[in-house]
Amino acid sequence: MRKVVITGVGVVSPVGSGVEMFWSNLTSGRSGIGPITLFDASAFPIRIAGEVKDFELESITEQFPNSNGCRDRKVFLALAAAQEAVTDAKLSDGDLHRALLHMGVGLEAIRLEDLTPYADSSDFGHSIVSSLIDDQTDRMLQTPLDCASNILGRRYGLLAGRYTNCSACAAGAQVVGEAWQMLREGLAQVALAGATDSMLNPLGLGGFSLLRVLSDENENPQQACRPFDASRKGTVLGEGAAFVVLETLENALARNACIYAELIGYGSSMDAYRVSDPDNTGRGAIQSMNNALWAAGLKADDIDCVNAHGTGTLKNDVVETAAIKESLGRHAYDIPVHAVKSMTGHMIAASGALEAVVAALTIRHEVVPPTINLETADDECDLDYVADGSREFVGETVLSNSFGFGGQNATLILRRYA
Amino acid sequence: MVKNVVITGVGLVTPLGRSPREVLGRVGRGEVATSIPSFDVASFACPFCAPVVSFDAEECFCENKNLRLMSRDAQMAVVAAHIAMEDAYVKADETYASEEIALYGSTGVSSLSVEEIARIIEYAAGSDGSLDLKRFGQVGLKRVRPVLSFRILANMPICFVSIFENIRGQNAVYAPWEGQGAQAIAAGIRAIRRGDVPCALVGSCDVKTSELSFINLQQLGVFESWELHGKGCIPGEGAAFLVLEDAEHANKRGKRAYAKITDYAICSTAGDSSLKDTFSSTISKLKTNSIEAVVAAGDGDMTISESEQQAFEEVGLEPCELLRPKLHLGNLFAAAAAVQVGLAAELAGRGESGRPVLADCFGYGSEQASFALEGICAK
């Protein structure tokens, strides 16, 4: 099996777009969460989120002309992050033509404003059809899930296979893991892997608020997401995109690429429990971590840091803590366990890819970003959550967890390349 | 040593039956599942659909409380998956540990009905028809059913399959076309070949018979052949799952396999190349010379049918038998790949020549795939 390394990264996130700004803000403990400005959420029960700020859509459409006409925000977030990763890796056209694309995406949003003009129609369906089809507009009722993948595929000539993964909150980690597996097997030398999501629209925010997993601390947005804290009240929605360029070590060395870290393990599992809640026993989460350890050929004691899924929901944080302890044993108490969602919010499908970038940067810069807003830990959350600001990363390996709505789990393990 | 992957179970929910034997029989008799949709089709270039008539998930899972959370495609997925598992005599935590069974699936776009959308929109519109977010936030949200998310998230059908079948192994969910359905099958094959798991449940579901699906398909140009030639693909619905096993494990437990998957190829459509070129390139990657039969991709769309035929000629493929099930079943889109491979498995299992059967998974979207299967003598 071939070794696989990360040679490029790209981020568009609520705490900063562009890897440099993102990392600076993240390690400074700056929250990206604030009042929602993308639409008027004043009558919604939840009015806060982690929005990507100062995002220049025009510059993206200029660079990706075939994105013209697309109205889905997450597509543009993806294009920006992917472009940064490709540029960062300094890939040649030849490398790109032989590259795989693994892309994680969230839900296809329906725009309510397209449909409200027909709310009073006696034949609602026919009215929608007339609106969207008979007048020959370019408006799509729903953006296809593979829209960003197709735009990137055409722009970069990616011909080795394009995968569109929709495994909810596990998608971002799964795309990195699946690409890793295919490179190890020799199916390609290079892969662009990443994910994007934005649920920050009326239907997306409304749907999540009905699930009662969001913090309603609208008056205190920057402190609203408090993973592992005893007073946590839920997660906060975020949006964004993150990409990594993965390469076989052989390919990276041959072209003298800059190596962030080596990806050495990936595991996934399913809870097979309930679509709405994590399994209280943490069985799926434990299995995911154990599968990644097995794939990496590591023991629990070899892990030096855990990038937790850490959503700030009542159930996740307790179950994840117990699962980390079960998987890593007593060693879990000796290593930092941090949750960047305290600053970014939950970027849903994109979160696992973003956290893979965080793990790579942790290794490269030897800094563990903090879990902010953690003042008094939950009695059942008794690990070292890096609550007192960033700290030096001492060690070689980082394990990153992503657990998805519906019961899909994924874990990545990265190691310093020496 | 590379492990051989065999198909030991096939479960279908299609407009023409629930097993490959039944579907092939009805296709052979020339049956066609086409009907006129219940909604007004005047604005659509395609006037037909291919529904699964009288589908009722409670036949399999009577009174399961999860059923009310599920969309139609998810219900079809759990039924097809259950049939496949029963067909293979595989039960999680009995035949294999639940963690040793991988689950790779694919789904189409969300299948909300116009009525469901109308309920959401009713309290989102202002008096002038514009979006009134204050009204939606204060009144409309309270009228949205909290279970909506479980019905529209694309991974949910596969998550429900994991719950119903108690499968906990490695997994991924892809979307939204037939090519991604093929990628899910390929992911299961690779997981077994790597030695990660001895067994994988792979498959897909899709419902394209609704009015909203028709809007999406028309907007995406899928009905273009209807506009140009007066014939084209007919959107169908259904689900299909395959149980894949390491041949050694299947032999050990005495399970007769339908067929062995000897090879597969997946190609992305390049911006400047024709469909014919992509199809040719996909088929020519398979290490097969002499073909017994092809389960072809042709679905009535002139471009796809002609491109596939030209691709056969270009690579010198002369199958004894050419089957075009989509002309009978409709196009099941995301679910089509597993149907194609399931039918090819049945044909390969019947074959006495020992020559492979191809299952073409060509169509809409960027990814095109083909699988080669060979029959296995009864053990």
Side-chain angles (χ1 to χ4, degrees):
Chain A
M1 289 284 191
R2 292 156 184 79
K3 288 188 170 191
V4 176
V5 292
I6 295 173
T7 57
V9 292
V11 169
V12 175
S13 87
V15 296
S17 296
V19 169
E20 202 173 315
M21 183 189 289
F22 166 72
W23 188 245
S24 169
N25 287 338
L26 198 76
T27 50
S28 301
R30 288 194 192 137
S31 171
I33 295 166
I36 289 174
T37 61
L38 288 169
F39 63 93
D40 178 7
S42 58
F44 283 60
I46 310 297
R47 301 184 287 279
I48 54 172
E51 292 181 343
V52 173
K53 288 108 184 159
D54 305 323
F55 185 65
E56 291 178 16
L57 211 129
E58 292 76 18
S59 70
I60 299 299
T61 50
E62 271 171 30
Q63 290 158 63
F64 293 89
N66 53 354
S67 67
N68 257 326
C70 176
R71 299 187 298 162
D72 190 337
R73 184 172 167 85
K74 66 177 176 290
V75 170
F76 297 102
L77 300 175
L79 302 180
Q83 187 178 48
E84 186 185 17
V86 167
T87 305
D88 185 39
K90 300 182 177 66
L91 290 174
S92 69
D93 286 348
D95 284 325
L96 284 165
H97 292 330
R98 293 187 295 274
L100 293 162
L101 174 62
H102 280 262
M103 169 103 205
V105 294
L107 185 64
E108 295 175 275
I110 291 176
R111 296 168 80 101
L112 297 177
E113 60 268 37
D114 284 348
L115 307 177
T116 50
Y118 313 102
D120 291 334
S121 167
S122 57
D123 186 347
F124 180 66
H126 181 71
S127 301
I128 301 172
V129 173
S130 301
S131 155
L132 293 167
I133 292 179
D134 291 354
D135 68 2
Q136 301 293 308
T137 77
D138 289 333
R139 287 179 300 155
M140 297 290 294
L141 176 64
Q142 288 176 286
T143 304
L145 284 170
D146 58 348
C147 179
S149 161
N150 285 334
I151 294 170
L152 287 170
R154 286 194 202 117
R155 170 73 173 78
Y156 295 124
L158 305 165
L159 294 176
R162 301 175 204 155
Y163 293 75
T164 303
N165 182 309
C166 53
S167 297
C169 322
Q174 281 198 350
V175 292
V176 176
E178 297 261 316
W180 171 77
Q181 279 176 336
M182 294 182 79
L183 295 188
R184 288 223 312 164
E185 292 167 32
L187 296 173
Q189 293 286 328
V190 180
L192 179 60
T196 186
D197 212 345
S198 178
M199 298 292 284
L200 302 185
N201 55 69
L203 200 52
L205 179 73
F208 263 91
S209 64
L210 292 173
L211 294 173
R212 301 184 187 283
V213 294
L214 299 181
S215 167
D216 61 359
E217 294 174 87
N218 296 307
E219 309 311 317
N220 204 11
Q222 301 213 328
Q223 283 77 45
C225 191
R226 299 192 292 277
F228 308 109
D229 193 272
S231 67
R232 69 192 182 283
K233 295 188 74 178
T235 196
V236 174
L237 276 182
E239 63 168 359
F243 274 82
V244 296
V245 171
L246 298 173
E247 281 182 72
T248 60
L249 178 61
E250 186 186 22
N251 202 72
L253 292 178
R255 65 183 196 90
N256 203 22
C258 167
I259 295 173
Y260 283 83
E262 185 182 355
L263 184 57
I264 59 169
Y266 165 58
S268 65
S269 70
M270 300 199 83
D271 282 354
Y273 178 65
R274 287 182 195 152
V275 288
S276 53
D277 300 308
D279 181 350
N280 287 334
T281 68
R283 182 175 166 180
I286 295 163
Q287 188 65 36
S288 179
M289 287 185 269
N290 289 349
N291 285 350
L293 285 166
W294 177 80
L298 297 184
K299 301 187 300 292
D301 289 0
D302 295 324
I303 299 299
D304 300 313
C305 175
V306 173
N307 179 319
H309 185 53
T311 56
T313 60
L314 294 177
K315 286 185 180 169
N316 174 83
D317 296 356
V318 169
V319 172
E320 184 174 13
T321 296
I324 291 169
K325 289 191 285 191
E326 178 66 27
S327 179
L328 302 186
R330 177 69 217 171
H331 180 64
Y333 289 97
D334 302 332
I335 58 173
V337 176
H338 70 121
V340 298
K341 289 186 182 76
S342 57
M343 292 171 274
T344 63
H346 194 336
M347 290 160 57
I348 311 296
S351 60
L354 180 100
E355 287 159 27
V357 171
V358 170
L361 295 174
T362 296
I363 291 167
R364 179 174 176 141
H365 297 298
E366 300 184 333
V367 177
V368 182
T371 304
I372 67 167
N373 302 326
L374 173 49
E375 290 178 0
T376 308
D378 186 308
D379 287 345
E380 295 179 72
C381 299
D382 56 352
L383 298 175
D384 172 3
Y385 299 109
V386 197
D388 48 357
S390 290
R391 73 170 69 151
E392 183 185 1
F393 171 60
V394 180
E396 305 291 319
T397 61
V398 177
L399 179 150
S400 182
N401 278 332
S402 295
F403 305 141
F405 196 59
Q408 291 181 268
N409 310 298
T411 301
L412 298 167
I413 300 177
L414 288 77
R415 180 169 66 191
R416 187 188 311 280
Y417 171 71
Chain B
M1 197 179 78
V2 176
K3 293 174 185 299
N4 285 320
V5 178
V6 293
I7 298 174
T8 55
V10 181
L12 307 177
V13 172
T14 78
L16 288 181
R18 298 196 177 183
S19 72
R21 183 179 295 259
E22 181 187 2
V23 171
L24 286 173
R26 295 177 70 177
V27 166
R29 290 193 292 276
E31 286 186 46
V32 175
T34 303
S35 65
I36 295 169
S38 55
F39 52 86
D40 181 3
V41 291
S43 299
F44 297 111
C46 170
F48 304 116
C49 68
V52 180
V53 179
S54 307
F55 171 76
D56 183 3
E58 289 188 12
E59 283 173 26
C60 275
F61 303 102
C62 58
E63 295 176 13
N64 188 305
K65 64 182 180 184
N66 274 313
L67 290 177
R68 73 182 175 84
L69 301 176
M70 297 160 67
S71 57
R72 184 170 170 85
D73 55 350
Q75 291 187 349
M76 289 179 165
V78 296
V79 170
H82 191 65
I83 295 170
M85 293 288 276
E86 285 198 325
D87 188 36
Y89 296 99
V90 169
K91 207 164 168 54
D93 282 339
E94 290 181 15
T95 322
Y96 300 107
S98 56
E99 288 86 358
E100 287 183 329
I101 304 175
L103 178 55
Y104 289 95
S106 82
T107 61
V109 295
S110 64
S111 58
L112 281 182
S113 66
V114 164
E115 292 73 26
E116 286 170 305
I117 296 282
R119 270 201 298 274
I120 296 169
I121 295 302
E122 187 180 357
Y123 290 92
S127 54
D128 61 351
S130 63
L131 175 59
D132 184 341
L133 285 171
K134 288 212 161 46
R135 186 166 181 240
F136 181 61
Q138 287 163 356
V139 187
L141 266 182
K142 290 176 186 148
R143 296 178 58 92
V144 177
R145 296 165 66 202
V147 298
L148 183 77
S149 300
F150 305 120
R151 297 169 62 81
I152 60 177
L153 285 175
N155 67 326
M156 282 298 150
I158 306 306
C159 293
F160 280 117
V161 168
S162 87
I163 291 167
F164 276 70
E165 298 302 325
N166 187 32
I167 293 174
R168 300 169 188 270
Q170 57 181 260
N171 61 88
V173 183
Y174 308 102
W177 300 105
E178 183 174 354
Q180 281 76 22
Q183 288 174 342
I185 298 170
I189 295 170
R190 289 176 25 245
I192 293 172
R193 284 185 178 167
R194 281 196 304 269
D196 287 357
V197 290
C199 180
L201 179 65
V202 298
S204 319
C205 61
D206 209 343
V207 171
K208 287 287 192 283
T209 50
S210 70
E211 196 165 11
L212 289 183
S213 297
F214 265 57
I215 295 174
N216 280 321
L217 293 173
Q218 177 127 332
Q219 291 196 313
L220 290 167
V222 172
F223 295 154
E224 195 177 342
S225 181
W226 283 99
E227 290 164 5
L228 297 174
H229 308 289
K231 58 182 175 180
C233 100
I234 294 172
E237 62 176 357
F241 277 81
L242 312 170
V243 174
L244 309 180
E245 285 187 75
D246 173 1
E248 209 173 301
H249 281 80
N251 280 340
K252 215 176 270 180
R253 68 185 188 91
K255 177 67 179 87
R256 183 182 184 276
Y258 282 85
K260 177 171 81 171
I261 300 175
T262 56
D263 205 359
Y264 71 88
I266 301 178
C267 286
S268 297
T269 309
D272 54 355
S273 62
S274 66
L275 269 185
K276 185 262 291 178
D277 291 342
T278 311
F279 295 173
S280 303
S281 155
T282 308
I283 296 170
S284 58
K285 279 186 178 177
L286 299 174
K287 299 173 198 77
T288 51
N289 296 318
S290 174
I291 301 295
E292 174 73 20
V294 177
V295 180
D299 66 348
D301 180 288
M302 291 300 286
T303 308
I304 289 173
S305 301
E306 286 173 4
S307 300
E308 187 178 33
Q309 190 57 45
Q310 289 163 2
F312 291 156
E313 288 162 15
E314 189 164 298
V315 300
L317 201 68
E318 289 180 17
C320 300
E321 189 182 350
L322 190 66
L323 192 75
R324 288 197 170 93
K326 289 176 190 167
L327 297 179
H328 302 259
L329 297 167
N331 193 327
L332 273 57
F333 292 92
V339 174
Q340 298 282 100
V341 176
L343 297 182
E346 171 72 18
L347 285 177
R350 290 177 189 175
E352 293 172 357
S353 68
R355 290 185 297 174
V357 174
L358 290 196
D360 282 348
C361 307
F362 300 153
Y364 311 95
S366 66
E367 305 307 299
Q368 314 297 337
S370 193
F371 293 80
L373 296 89
E374 280 178 11
I376 295 170
C377 296
K379 297 285 174 191

